[in-house]
Amino acid sequence: MTQPNFIFITSDQHRGDCLGVEGRKVRTPHLDQLAAEGTRFTSAICPSPVCQPSRASILTGQLCRTNGVHDNGIDLDPEVGEKGFAGTLGSQGYDTAFFGKAHFSSYDARHKTGTPESVLSSEDYDDDWHGPYMGFQHIETMIHGHNWFTPQKPPRGLHFERFYYGSGRGDELNELYKQNGGDTKGAAQTWHSQLPLAYHNTPWTADRAIEWINHGRDKDKPFMTWISFPDPHHPFDCPEPWSRLHDPKDVDLPEHRTRDLEDRPWWHKAALENSPQGDAESIAIRKAYSRITPQTDEQLREIIANTYGQIALIDHHIGRIMNTLREAGLDENTYIIYSADHGDWLGDHGLVLKGPMFYEGLLRIPLIVRGPNVPAGQVVDEPVSNIDVGPTMFDLAGVTPALDQHGESLRPFLEGQDATRDFAMCEWELLPNRVGVALSLRAVRTKIDKLTMDMRSGEGEMYDLVKDPHEMTNVFADPDYAERRAELEGYLGQRADDIGPIRTPVGPA
């Protein structure tokens, strides 16, 4: 077999259980088909629970305290990024491309940083700039991707923004985007957007990727592309008619949706009540955009229904990508990998969005692989991470990584071998600008339980996911679990001794 092609598709803030095949009441026929034709990992977690650290970790195969991007607002060093899986595969003959939301560098840096993703620096990139960037030879991307911040007007912005305003209707589209087409019961950051679908970034991302697959790539080379959809990230602004696809009355609410701060580590309460630190603009964004107050059941139904609409819209365009491969005769030698950078609490324990509470809704992400010789309909419950995606591509392509890898190849599982894993690891280093307190969080997730610790204070939380799947009882200090806790702390201690210095963010995101 010649070297295989890779299509890595991600969405932003997509919980691992928000798939039809997982039993939730969300319509994902194409992702369900992908799972039926390939292998689905049910205990996959993200390497970090926020965008930039997770994306940098996926690209480099290294946990965030090693690659240096340990929170949003910290740029990935290009010399490191260029040695990630895109640059490494490209150096070995692959044609590589990226489409959609990148977020390897800070958008909202308070000064020009020189990266194309920086709002202030983007104006220095000409319309015909398409990379290279972070090892990708061809790139078509955007600033932000989440329309709480309407698209930057040229000369700022990148490929999506120039498409958006190139219509000559940019200001009109911004007003349509903000309009709510129906009553959303006062749900936070939730509305039926009136933005015409032709100008939404989900179809744009798919369109640009399909165009490249059909006409843009070098057809004499194997290829790898990362197709990165910005949704279902908040704000919950799904455009009509997709926002109407799921009736709020019919969606499934979390079983436990009340804030329960008793018997939780100290930082849960602190993260919800402390004021972020930093400049006034950053604090305002953190309070208005990054925090959501407790929602009623009626409001939570609106948020979930809207999120389901965002996911279904992405699923539709994943179906288009799958059809493109079939029609081009690329099915037999192409791996499709679907995942997300992290999840969303989506009402669990009375919480929405993300933060330093490592509940399953936030850590567990979808991970589905279809490709040559991958067992159809296989379900793997071993603990893995999407930090394993790069090592898997290296293994399947016969390529040696340029960076030391914390991830491991998933190939044994994809070949149906009787393989096992002890744990997957997640980490996040927060400075006080995030939630008002500094935290050094590290977690290990096994098939049966999970331990999270703040490595500064030594405090932690531990859950028996078999007896307590909703994580209601913290057994960190329970003497009956002392022996098992010691085992999990041993796993925490297996983290590679290559942690770098704490860095200062250049902006909030």
Side-chain angles (χ1 to χ4, degrees):
M1 183 178 73
T2 58
Q3 283 182 300
N5 308 307
F6 301 102
I7 294 185
F8 180 39
I9 305 174
T10 57
S11 55
D12 192 331
Q13 212 158 296
H14 186 175
R15 291 170 57 113
D17 64 357
C18 280
L19 298 168
V21 71
E22 286 269 351
R24 295 287 296 246
K25 296 179 181 179
V26 57
R27 300 183 186 181
T28 55
H30 300 294
L31 287 170
D32 294 349
Q33 176 191 348
L34 199 68
E37 296 173 352
T39 291
R40 177 168 58 95
F41 294 85
T42 61
S43 297
I45 67 168
C46 56
S48 193
V50 286
C51 293
Q52 261 186 280
S54 183
R55 290 162 181 268
S57 293
I58 293 168
L59 179 65
T60 63
Q62 297 181 333
L63 291 165
C64 65
R65 284 302 311 276
T66 298
N67 65 48
V69 186
H70 56 75
D71 201 359
N72 282 356
I74 298 174
D75 291 351
L76 177 61
D77 183 342
E79 291 189 9
V80 177
E82 289 162 6
K83 294 178 181 177
F85 63 69
T88 303
L89 290 171
S91 71
Q92 298 299 309
Y94 272 76
D95 199 1
T96 62
F98 187 98
F99 302 94
K101 175 188 171 179
H103 210 182
F104 301 128
S105 303
S106 175
Y107 302 142
D108 298 315
R110 299 310 187 210
H111 60 274
K112 283 193 173 185
T113 59
T115 74
E117 294 190 81
S118 161
V119 168
L120 299 178
S121 294
S122 62
E123 64 187 15
D124 298 329
Y125 287 79
D126 296 334
D127 289 355
D128 60 356
W129 177 82
H130 287 92
Y133 183 58
M134 296 297 177
F136 293 93
Q137 298 154 359
H138 179 86
I139 184 166
E140 298 185 46
T141 186
M142 60 194 66
I143 305 289
H144 290 119
H146 315 304
N147 291 330
W148 177 275
F149 315 92
T150 52
Q152 295 290 322
K153 289 185 177 182
R156 292 178 176 173
L158 292 168
H159 309 93
F160 172 73
E161 289 83 2
R162 290 163 189 170
F163 154 81
Y164 184 91
Y165 286 98
S167 66
R169 300 178 59 196
D171 292 336
E172 176 193 357
L173 294 174
N174 288 340
E175 291 305 312
L176 289 170
Y177 162 73
K178 296 173 188 176
Q179 290 179 18
N180 187 358
D183 180 12
T184 49
K185 314 301 182 186
Q189 299 189 34
T190 305
W191 65 95
H192 300 275
S193 176
Q194 300 302 291
L195 178 70
L197 278 171
Y199 299 100
H200 194 274
N201 54 39
T202 289
W204 178 85
T205 298
D207 287 347
R208 300 317 305 149
I210 289 170
E211 173 69 16
W212 182 81
I213 292 168
N214 282 332
H215 305 294
R217 63 187 174 87
D218 185 338
K219 295 186 178 180
D220 292 327
K221 294 181 177 181
F223 68 87
M224 185 283 299
T225 179
W226 185 343
I227 305 170
S228 174
F229 293 102
D231 275 341
H233 193 286
H234 65 106
F236 308 106
D237 57 356
C238 188
E240 290 187 317
W242 290 89
S243 64
R244 306 283 186 178
L245 185 61
H246 301 84
D247 190 324
K249 297 193 300 294
D250 296 332
V251 300
D252 31 13
L253 290 176
E255 184 171 339
H256 301 285
R257 49 190 182 275
T258 302
R259 292 193 176 182
D260 47 0
L261 300 177
E262 298 77 18
D263 197 32
R264 308 292 179 183
W266 63 271
W267 68 79
H268 284 222
K269 184 178 177 66
L272 292 171
E273 298 179 357
N274 286 11
S275 178
Q277 299 179 17
D279 62 85
E281 183 180 355
S282 297
I283 292 173
I285 290 174
R286 288 275 180 247
K287 289 183 175 181
Y289 179 60
S290 300
R291 289 182 174 179
I292 283 183
T293 56
Q295 302 288 288
T296 66
D297 281 1
E298 188 176 46
Q299 291 168 336
L300 189 56
R301 287 184 182 278
E302 294 287 337
I303 289 173
I304 294 173
N306 198 290
T307 298
Y308 284 1
Q310 291 176 312
I311 293 170
L313 178 57
I314 291 168
D315 180 85
H316 170 75
H317 290 284
I318 289 173
R320 293 180 57 220
I321 294 166
M322 292 165 66
N323 285 342
T324 297
L325 289 180
R326 178 180 53 79
E327 291 166 359
L330 296 169
D331 262 1
E332 290 188 4
N333 198 34
T334 300
Y335 290 90
I336 301 179
I337 305 168
Y338 179 77
S339 195
D341 55 356
H342 54 78
D344 187 315
W345 295 313
L346 214 59
D348 292 347
H349 302 273
L351 303 169
V352 183
L353 308 184
K354 53 190 181 285
M357 297 73 123
F358 284 13
Y359 293 123
E360 286 288 275
L362 181 58
L363 255 63
R364 194 166 82 83
I365 41 87
L367 183 57
I368 304 169
V369 183
R370 188 193 78 179
N373 303 314
V374 175
Q378 179 178 233
V379 177
V380 175
D381 62 0
E382 297 295 319
V384 300
S385 165
N386 52 16
I387 203 174
D388 300 326
V389 167
T392 302
M393 290 193 286
F394 294 144
D395 192 2
L396 293 168
V399 169
T400 301
L403 298 171
D404 291 338
Q405 299 290 284
H406 294 159
E408 300 177 57
S409 174
L410 299 172
R411 186 172 185 173
F413 301 111
L414 302 180
E415 293 181 345
Q417 299 177 25
D418 188 19
T420 60
R421 289 272 183 95
D422 289 331
F423 64 91
M425 187 174 290
C426 175
E427 67 182 18
W428 186 16
E429 189 80 24
L430 296 82
L431 301 179
N433 68 312
R434 167 67 69 165
V435 293
V437 293
L439 293 166
S440 184
L441 299 179
R442 192 178 303 164
V444 286
R445 166 68 151 82
T446 76
K447 285 202 301 186
I448 61 171
D449 48 18
K450 178 173 58 184
L451 171 68
T452 305
M453 291 186 67
D454 170 34
M455 308 308 287
R456 294 171 181 259
S457 67
E459 293 297 314
E461 57 187 325
M462 178 176 165
Y463 300 101
D464 182 333
L465 298 175
V466 176
K467 295 180 179 178
D468 180 25
H470 300 293
E471 299 171 277
M472 299 300 295
T473 303
N474 178 13
V475 298
F476 183 77
D478 188 331
D480 290 341
Y481 284 86
E483 184 176 346
R484 180 57 181 169
R485 172 181 155 185
E487 292 179 30
L488 296 182
E489 288 181 347
Y491 292 154
L492 285 178
Q494 291 183 29
R495 193 214 185 280
D497 185 19
D498 56 4
I499 291 175
I502 293 176
R503 298 173 62 193
T504 301
V506 295

